[in-house]
Amino acid sequence: LTRAPRGVALVMVGDELLDGRVRDTNSAWLIERITVLRGCVDSLRVVPDDVAGIAAAILHGSAESAAVVVAGGLGPTSDDLSREGLARAAQEELVLDLELLAALHERWRRRGRTMPESNRRQAYRTVSGKPIPNPRGTAPGLLHLLDGVPVVLLPGVPAELHAMWEATAEGIVAPLVAGNAPRRLRLRTARLPESALADAVDAALGQGGAIERGYLVNEFGVDLLLLAGDEQADLDAAGATLLARLAPHVYAVGDAGLERVVVEELLRRRQTLSVAESCTAGLLGGCLTRVPGSSAAFRGGVIAYHDAVKVEALGVPEDLLRSFGAVSEEAARAMATGVRDRLRTDWGLAVTGIAGPAGATAEKPVGMTWVALAGPGATQAERSAFPGDRTQNRTWSVAAALDLLRRALAIQPRLP
Amino acid sequence: LTRAPRGVALVMVGDELLDGRVRDTNSAWLIERITVLRGCVDSLRVVPDDVAGIAAAILHGSAESAAVVVAGGLGPTSDDLSREGLARAAQEELVLDLELLAALHERWRRRGRTMPESNRRQAYRTVSGKPIPNPRGTAPGLLHLLDGVPVVLLPGVPAELHAMWEATAEGIVAPLVAGNAPRRLRLRTARLPESALADAVDAALGQGGAIERGYLVNEFGVDLLLLAGDEQADLDAAGATLLARLAPHVYAVGDAGLERVVVEELLRRRQTLSVAESCTAGLLGGCLTRVPGSSAAFRGGVIAYHDAVKVEALGVPEDLLRSFGAVSEEAARAMATGVRDRLRTDWGLAVTGIAGPAGATAEKPVGMTWVALAGPGATQAERSAFPGDRTQNRTWSVAAALDLLRRALAIQPRLP
């Protein structure tokens, strides 16, 4: 698979992105947006607030790519130097744009304030440049053609960048780069390590071939990304083959999260759910309720972190805890039926495990987790042995619980 | 504040970082590690799997910086081209390192397998380059001096990169760059928007001045980063001034999270806590139990998403819910006392709010949240109006609850 000839060069400007003060989230957001257009990102450069460095990044970008997008360095202070960097790259002067200056004054006046002198800098542009309006803030953007390649300057404040990308910048960049990148299909899987998924994919499609694969480890599992050239048919065929082969592990085709898949099926069935959580201590309930509208299906639950809460709030017999321990198939089943009975829901979902770092024994190592589901049919339980740290083990425990419910609900994802 | 003369140039290699298949987490990790050494990162370039592009990034980096760190492109397949890029930049041949080849064969033999032919590529190095051992995987690293500037090639797999940075690469890079970056102090604040915090800081320290400020919006509030040149005394003085001025809002000096600060104080006091959650639906319990050892203080709680659960599991009077609604001061107080009584804990902490997008009325808009705390003294309640979306409002609701408890526990952060 060859890369499309030319796409976008990204330049992120700011000392704060390189000294740990601020994490760069703009580049990931722009990559996502350009990818959605099926455009390519050719390169990404993060440079400090320095005229020569900004100019060099713009020149390199415009030599290699069909468009350059610069984010940051448009503020009113003396270390905001993207305008100056562009002017040096273009070998043009910066001139005061009187219309822009009037608009800035007007913006401040509407907020009942006088424009600080420092903001005058934001009314400068290259001689041949064109301002890009900013609906969210004071920093105007700038469009400049450098040997025919559009260079788009946008502010680094994420909300302003997003609004200006959507209103203006995407319209400049999209016609030049859209459709050059490979077509793609995403299969979202649970309960398979990345290497096992890759082996299964290689076995199904053969190694090499026309379909490139990417594996993205996400919160609750591994996403398989299939990339094909311009042949939609190849992609459809590979998707169908893999969906058949991997069916029990694929919870969605496309973007839907595991929690959304489960909640939407409950809403469709008009069924209700409650949870009983020990090691996850609320993460499962917190996750299910990310889905807007989940309140019609999700009733609530009990965080039974201490054993006394398992006994008193869920009715787990003290004897059972003494005989089998709180991390056991028996405890998980009793928690699931207990919460289902007490909250009077169609389904009761329970998690109990040893997240670590403490609490392990020889028989029950860190990462051992039981999930159980009580419902209209027989109660089911499943054991996992997670190899992660406390945070990972708890997240994977949520995934194991959600996925047990998903399989009980017999959800079948389909190709678009 | 002027930038230190020369630091590290980072080069991240891989098509997958630019086409949305994989998010680059290595650069943020390396920036963090280099910052901890008080080293500067001069630039970051993300380039595709392309020999010319990799070579250009290495050449530009070595011309500008004291060291170049390249991550990715060391795998066994034909699109892993960092070795080739370095060779082109250095105008040297790649040669097969027989010792390295033997070590690779040995590594595969120990795992009971024969080395695939493709892995031979990993035994190549530049003529004057030196292999860097990889304790976690098959891809060896490479150290090459380019006109006296060390270029360090590391694999892109995060676990391997981290291990090799710590074992070897940091020792090469640190002596060249450590101590060049500004000294720093972090004050973590809650319940203040970024702009209000910035205004308060400007009022306390004056605008401009020797102390540079950074504002990092984090999960539960805004971190203030103070950067000073080489004068530790300036930083201490500014820190003391700000701590006095901002005291009610500062929950930590340094790295501790809000949940850790609260749990550690409960452990110190040997007190216990339970939670009653409506709109957060478990996120508060999930957050408190991130802290290892929290089980000695956190007992559990009730996820009272549906009103019936508030009544039956927490004893909130039905009348009260009819009169005031579930999102009200009265309901929050009743939930807090209810969970404290039923789980027999020292403190009971409750959250109820309208996370959105649905559920709002004219009197109760999206983002309105009540938190309440029942404890040894009188029950307290606080209202917030959050301006975010569903996800943000729920996270800020957790922060409001934690911060109510923090102030009740009278935690006083101190300068180191």
Side-chain angles (χ1 to χ4, degrees):
Chain A
L1 201 73
T2 51
R3 289 180 61 78
R6 302 215 313 173
V8 181
L10 296 178
V11 180
M12 307 288 118
V13 178
D15 285 357
E16 70 278 14
L17 304 175
L18 294 169
D19 67 13
R21 273 181 289 165
V22 171
R23 274 171 234 113
D24 167 31
T25 57
N26 288 336
S27 60
W29 190 87
L30 286 166
I31 287 172
E32 168 85 30
R33 299 308 300 248
I34 293 164
T35 303
V36 166
L37 298 171
R38 288 190 55 221
C40 287
V41 176
D42 295 330
S43 64
L44 160 64
R45 292 173 176 86
V46 185
V47 297
D49 297 308
D50 167 68
V51 175
I54 298 168
I58 290 174
L59 281 173
H60 288 133
S62 68
E64 297 158 4
S65 295
V68 181
V69 176
V70 182
L74 294 182
T77 62
S78 59
D79 58 354
D80 288 304
L81 296 169
S82 290
R83 281 174 293 262
E84 285 75 5
L86 171 62
R88 183 174 301 184
Q91 298 181 284
E92 281 192 13
E93 296 289 310
L94 286 176
V95 292
L96 183 64
D97 184 317
L98 293 175
E99 228 174 291
L100 205 46
L101 184 64
L104 281 177
H105 275 296
E106 175 55 26
R107 189 182 172 88
W108 285 89
R109 196 162 28 236
R110 275 204 313 270
R111 294 162 59 194
R113 295 171 64 182
T114 308
M115 189 179 88
E117 193 56 25
S118 58
N119 283 72
R120 271 179 77 92
R121 302 189 64 231
Q122 298 183 313
Y124 280 79
R125 58 166 172 80
T126 51
V127 174
S128 67
K130 238 189 91 174
I132 296 174
N134 181 341
R136 296 275 185 96
T138 61
L142 191 57
L143 166 63
H144 185 103
L145 287 182
L146 197 59
D147 293 328
V149 174
V151 179
V152 180
L153 265 55
L154 299 173
V157 179
E160 301 178 21
L161 173 82
H162 299 174
M164 292 168 77
W165 174 263
E166 275 157 19
T168 312
E170 186 177 284
I172 299 165
V173 172
L176 299 168
V177 307
N180 290 340
R183 294 175 183 277
R184 54 177 60 210
L185 183 70
R186 177 148 80 134
L187 301 187
R188 313 199 73 178
T189 73
R191 287 179 310 124
L192 271 183
E194 185 178 353
S195 57
L197 177 60
D199 288 349
V201 170
D202 287 348
L205 300 185
Q207 287 190 317
I211 305 287
E212 198 162 339
R213 301 115 202 206
Y215 299 92
L216 240 163
V217 178
N218 265 315
E219 193 181 16
F220 296 144
V222 183
D223 289 359
L224 166 63
L225 230 67
L226 300 175
L227 281 73
D230 243 359
E231 290 304 317
Q232 184 67 46
D234 291 353
L235 198 59
D236 291 345
T241 303
L242 286 173
L243 197 53
R245 189 76 76 100
L246 301 171
H249 297 285
V250 180
Y251 65 82
V253 177
D255 293 328
L258 183 52
E259 70 279 14
R260 201 174 96 196
V261 163
V262 164
V263 167
E264 285 179 353
E265 178 64 18
L266 290 171
L267 292 172
R268 211 186 56 72
R269 294 174 174 224
R270 299 176 183 279
Q271 290 184 333
T272 56
L273 170 67
S274 58
V275 296
E277 306 190 50
S278 184
C279 62
T280 52
L283 295 177
L284 176 57
C287 173
L288 286 159
T289 52
R290 287 178 195 165
V291 186
S294 53
S295 61
F298 180 72
R299 285 285 167 129
V302 173
I303 303 173
Y305 211 55
H306 195 280
D307 282 355
V309 183
K310 296 183 182 76
V311 173
E312 290 167 28
L314 291 171
V316 178
E318 276 190 275
D319 282 359
L320 184 155
L321 293 177
R322 255 196 304 275
S323 308
F324 301 103
V327 179
S328 63
E329 176 170 1
E330 292 77 6
R333 287 176 181 269
M335 290 168 67
T337 52
V339 79
R340 176 174 184 259
D341 291 349
R342 299 212 171 189
L343 269 67
R344 296 193 305 277
T345 50
D346 296 303
W347 302 92
L349 187 56
V351 195
T352 179
I354 296 158
T361 64
E363 283 158 27
K364 298 181 178 178
V366 166
M368 178 175 155
T369 298
W370 279 96
V371 295
L373 177 67
T379 298
Q380 307 170 50
E382 241 173 41
R383 188 172 68 166
S384 303
F386 298 123
D389 62 14
R390 180 179 181 86
T391 305
Q392 290 175 316
N393 291 338
R394 294 191 339 139
T395 303
W396 290 333
S397 297
V398 171
L402 291 174
D403 201 63
L404 180 64
L405 176 57
R406 172 186 71 89
R407 282 172 284 138
L409 293 172
I411 297 166
Q412 300 289 348
R414 281 175 222 288
L415 291 173
Chain B
L1 202 73
T2 50
R3 290 181 60 80
R6 303 216 311 175
V8 181
L10 295 178
V11 180
M12 306 289 118
V13 178
D15 285 358
E16 70 278 13
L17 303 175
L18 294 168
D19 67 14
R21 272 181 289 166
V22 171
R23 276 170 233 113
D24 167 31
T25 56
N26 288 336
S27 60
W29 189 88
L30 287 165
I31 287 172
E32 168 85 30
R33 299 308 300 247
I34 293 164
T35 304
V36 166
L37 298 172
R38 288 190 54 222
C40 286
V41 175
D42 294 330
S43 65
L44 161 63
R45 292 174 177 86
V46 184
V47 297
D49 297 308
D50 165 69
V51 175
I54 298 167
I58 290 174
L59 281 173
H60 287 132
S62 67
E64 296 158 5
S65 296
V68 181
V69 176
V70 182
L74 294 183
T77 62
S78 58
D79 57 355
D80 289 304
L81 296 169
S82 290
R83 281 174 293 261
E84 284 75 4
L86 171 62
R88 183 174 302 185
Q91 300 181 283
E92 281 192 12
E93 297 289 311
L94 287 176
V95 292
L96 182 65
D97 185 317
L98 293 176
E99 226 173 291
L100 206 47
L101 184 64
L104 282 176
H105 275 296
E106 175 56 25
R107 190 182 171 88
W108 285 90
R109 194 159 33 232
R110 275 204 312 271
R111 294 162 61 197
R113 295 171 64 184
T114 308
M115 188 179 89
E117 192 57 24
S118 58
N119 283 71
R120 272 178 76 91
R121 301 190 64 231
Q122 299 183 312
Y124 279 79
R125 58 165 172 81
T126 51
V127 174
S128 68
K130 237 188 90 175
I132 296 175
N134 180 343
R136 295 276 185 95
T138 60
L142 191 56
L143 165 64
H144 185 103
L145 286 181
L146 197 58
D147 292 329
V149 174
V151 179
V152 179
L153 265 54
L154 299 173
V157 178
E160 300 178 23
L161 173 81
H162 300 173
M164 291 167 77
W165 174 263
E166 276 157 19
T168 313
E170 186 177 282
I172 298 165
V173 172
L176 299 168
V177 307
N180 290 340
R183 293 175 185 277
R184 53 178 59 209
L185 184 70
R186 176 148 80 134
L187 301 186
R188 314 199 72 178
T189 73
R191 287 180 310 125
L192 271 183
E194 184 177 354
S195 58
L197 177 60
D199 287 349
V201 171
D202 287 348
L205 299 186
Q207 288 188 316
I211 306 288
E212 197 161 339
R213 302 113 201 209
Y215 299 92
L216 239 163
V217 178
N218 264 315
E219 192 180 18
F220 297 143
V222 183
D223 288 358
L224 165 63
L225 229 68
L226 300 174
L227 282 72
D230 243 359
E231 289 305 317
Q232 183 68 44
D234 291 353
L235 197 61
D236 291 344
T241 303
L242 287 173
L243 197 53
R245 189 76 77 100
L246 301 171
H249 296 286
V250 179
Y251 65 80
V253 177
D255 294 327
L258 183 52
E259 71 279 12
R260 201 174 97 195
V261 163
V262 163
V263 166
E264 285 180 354
E265 179 63 19
L266 289 172
L267 292 172
R268 209 186 56 74
R269 294 174 173 224
R270 298 177 184 278
Q271 290 183 333
T272 55
L273 171 67
S274 58
V275 297
E277 305 190 50
S278 184
C279 64
T280 51
L283 296 177
L284 176 57
C287 173
L288 285 158
T289 50
R290 287 178 196 166
V291 185
S294 52
S295 60
F298 179 73
R299 285 284 168 128
V302 173
I303 302 173
Y305 211 56
H306 195 280
D307 283 355
V309 182
K310 296 183 182 77
V311 174
E312 290 168 27
L314 291 170
V316 178
E318 276 192 275
D319 281 0
L320 184 155
L321 292 177
R322 257 196 303 275
S323 307
F324 301 102
V327 179
S328 64
E329 178 172 0
E330 291 77 7
R333 286 177 182 269
M335 289 168 67
T337 52
V339 79
R340 177 174 183 259
D341 291 348
R342 299 212 170 189
L343 270 66
R344 296 194 304 277
T345 50
D346 296 303
W347 301 92
L349 188 56
V351 195
T352 178
I354 296 158
T361 65
E363 283 158 29
K364 297 182 178 178
V366 166
M368 178 175 153
T369 298
W370 279 97
V371 295
L373 178 66
T379 298
Q380 307 170 51
E382 242 173 39
R383 187 172 69 166
S384 302
F386 298 122
D389 61 14
R390 181 180 179 83
T391 305
Q392 290 175 316
N393 291 338
R394 296 194 334 142
T395 304
W396 290 332
S397 297
V398 171
L402 291 174
D403 201 62
L404 181 63
L405 177 58
R406 172 186 71 89
R407 283 172 284 138
L409 293 172
I411 297 165
Q412 300 288 348
R414 282 174 221 289
L415 291 174

